[in-house]
């Protein structure tokens, strides 16, 4: 008989009393992460640009008997992030930060890539996680600990033809995460990387068998596993693949 999925064992109140800020929460991986953290009792601060989609996610969270605040923000804009940080401070800070927002602009060789695309990829995928970590870590230090999960990619472990800027941004995000993790682990702040292969979202996957891809819920399960570890245990990185090539 083939192995079956084990029953879920994390208590539904594992994150009660904790506040989680999730970027990219309007759809895809970020939305699933936000819903999974809410299911464990966390209060959510959900961030993306699409206000209507964020409002729908907020309602889904309320339907789970959890609380959510919607913070629309263009993470490619440092001034908008500054305004977001002020609103997060006013909301009381956060114990968990999940940087899931990301863009690819994959599909053409580097010599055809406009400078603006390169800059927007790095602003969204690297500078925004830097600015948000810089903003929330003082709160975590003052409160005795916290968790940061940065959603990277297997493209941050190797080459990606026609996606060089995206791959470079994920290599950069990894380097940022590994280094900050060493700065903060003695302060009970865990900075982890989750690096999935292809996930069934609107991000990509053209021509692939979506049923064989990782699903957003799989990545969300990895995130909840990381943030519910006993405080003395630190899983610094997870690489995720589907069992069958999509
Ligand atoms: N899907 C994959 O195959 C795959 C594989 C490996 C890694 N990843 C990584 O997983 C993460 C989530 O991707 P996904 O698959 O869920 O993609 P997705 O479905 O395209 O969702 C991307 C999310 O990022 C947000 N976002 C993009 N640019 C933004 C900006 N300037 N400001 C604020 N929010 C912004 C989007 O919200 P708005 O449009 O509402 O702003 C959306 O919520 C990304 O970091 C991606 O690199 C994905």
């Amino acid at each position: 008989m083939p192995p079956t999925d084990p029953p879920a064992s994390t208590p539904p109140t594992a994150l009660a009393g904790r506040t989680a800020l999730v970027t990219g929460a309007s759809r895809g991986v970020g939305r699933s992460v936000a819903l999974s953290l809410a299911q464990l009792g966390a209060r959510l601060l959900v961030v993306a640009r699409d206000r209507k989609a964020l409002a729908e996610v907020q309602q889904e969270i309320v339907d789970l008997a959890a609380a959510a605040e919607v913070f629309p923000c263009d993470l490619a804009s440092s001034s908008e992030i500054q305004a977001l940080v002020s609103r997060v401070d006013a909301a009381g800070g956060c114990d968990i930060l999940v940087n899931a927002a990301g863009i690819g602009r994959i599909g053409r060789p580097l010599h055809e890539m406009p400078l603006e695309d390169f800059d927007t990829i790095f602003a969204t995928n690297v500078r925004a996680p830097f600015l948000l970590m810089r903003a929330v870590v003082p709160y975590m230090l003052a409160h005795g600990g916290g968790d940061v999960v940065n959603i990277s990619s297997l493209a941050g472990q190797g080459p990606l033809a026609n996606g060089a800027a995206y791959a470079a941004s994920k290599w950069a995000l990894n380097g940022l995460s590994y280094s900050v993790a060493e700065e903060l682990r003695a302060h009970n702040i865990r900075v982890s990387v989750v690096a999935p292969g292809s996930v069934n979202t609107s991000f990509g996957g053209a021509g692939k068998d979506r049923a064989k891809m990782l699903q957003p819920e799989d990545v969300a399960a990895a995130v909840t596993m990381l943030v519910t570890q006993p405080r003395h245990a630190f899983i610094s990185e997870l690489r995720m693949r589907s069992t069958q090539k999509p």
Side-chain angles (χ1 to χ4, degrees):
M1 204 164 88
T4 54
D5 293 337
S9 59
T10 309
T13 55
L15 299 178
R18 299 180 72 188
T19 300
L21 191 162
V22 179
T23 73
S26 59
R27 61 176 188 269
V29 168
R31 172 184 164 274
S32 276
V33 169
L35 293 174
S36 296
L37 297 177
Q39 257 159 355
L40 296 179
R43 167 183 168 242
L44 266 297
L45 312 179
V46 290
V47 177
R49 291 165 300 186
D50 185 335
R51 290 166 186 264
K52 184 167 172 285
L54 283 177
E56 287 166 9
V57 172
Q58 181 184 35
Q59 187 57 52
E60 289 182 272
I61 291 171
V62 169
D63 292 344
L64 293 169
E69 288 181 58
V70 166
F71 290 167
C73 178
D74 181 354
L75 294 165
S77 158
S78 55
S79 59
E80 286 204 25
I81 292 184
Q82 198 45 54
L84 168 68
V85 165
S86 301
R87 293 188 64 197
V88 171
D89 285 345
C94 74
D95 310 286
I96 300 169
L97 167 65
V98 181
N99 286 303
I103 55 167
R105 308 257 167 108
I106 293 164
R108 56 175 145 183
L110 187 78
H111 63 272
E112 291 177 7
M113 171 165 273
L115 173 61
E116 189 197 341
D117 279 9
F118 184 89
D119 286 344
T120 306
I121 290 168
F122 267 73
T124 309
N125 296 4
V126 186
R127 189 178 66 186
F130 154 66
L131 288 171
L132 290 176
M133 286 193 285
R134 195 179 66 166
V136 304
V137 161
Y139 173 92
M140 293 176 177
L141 287 169
H143 287 76
D147 285 281
V148 177
V149 182
N150 291 328
I151 306 299
S152 183
S153 168
L154 291 182
Q157 325 275 342
L160 182 65
N162 297 320
Y166 176 69
S169 75
K170 294 301 189 180
W171 280 79
L173 180 63
N174 291 350
L176 194 73
S177 307
Y178 305 150
S179 306
V180 178
E182 287 308 304
E183 294 169 9
L184 295 174
R185 60 193 270 214
H187 297 281
N188 194 27
I189 300 173
R190 302 180 292 204
V191 180
S192 305
V193 168
V194 174
S198 295
V199 188
N200 180 16
T201 69
S202 57
F203 184 89
K208 291 189 177 176
D209 182 345
R210 290 189 169 272
K212 290 183 179 170
M213 294 166 95
L214 290 168
Q215 302 301 314
E217 295 76 16
D218 301 325
V219 184
V223 173
T224 57
M225 187 273 283
L226 293 176
V227 302
T228 56
Q229 287 300 299
R231 289 307 312 178
H232 66 271
F234 171 36
I235 300 173
S236 55
E237 182 167 19
L238 287 174
R239 300 181 186 187
M240 302 182 67
R241 294 173 172 83
S242 52
T243 48
Q244 299 168 63
K245 267 202 173 305

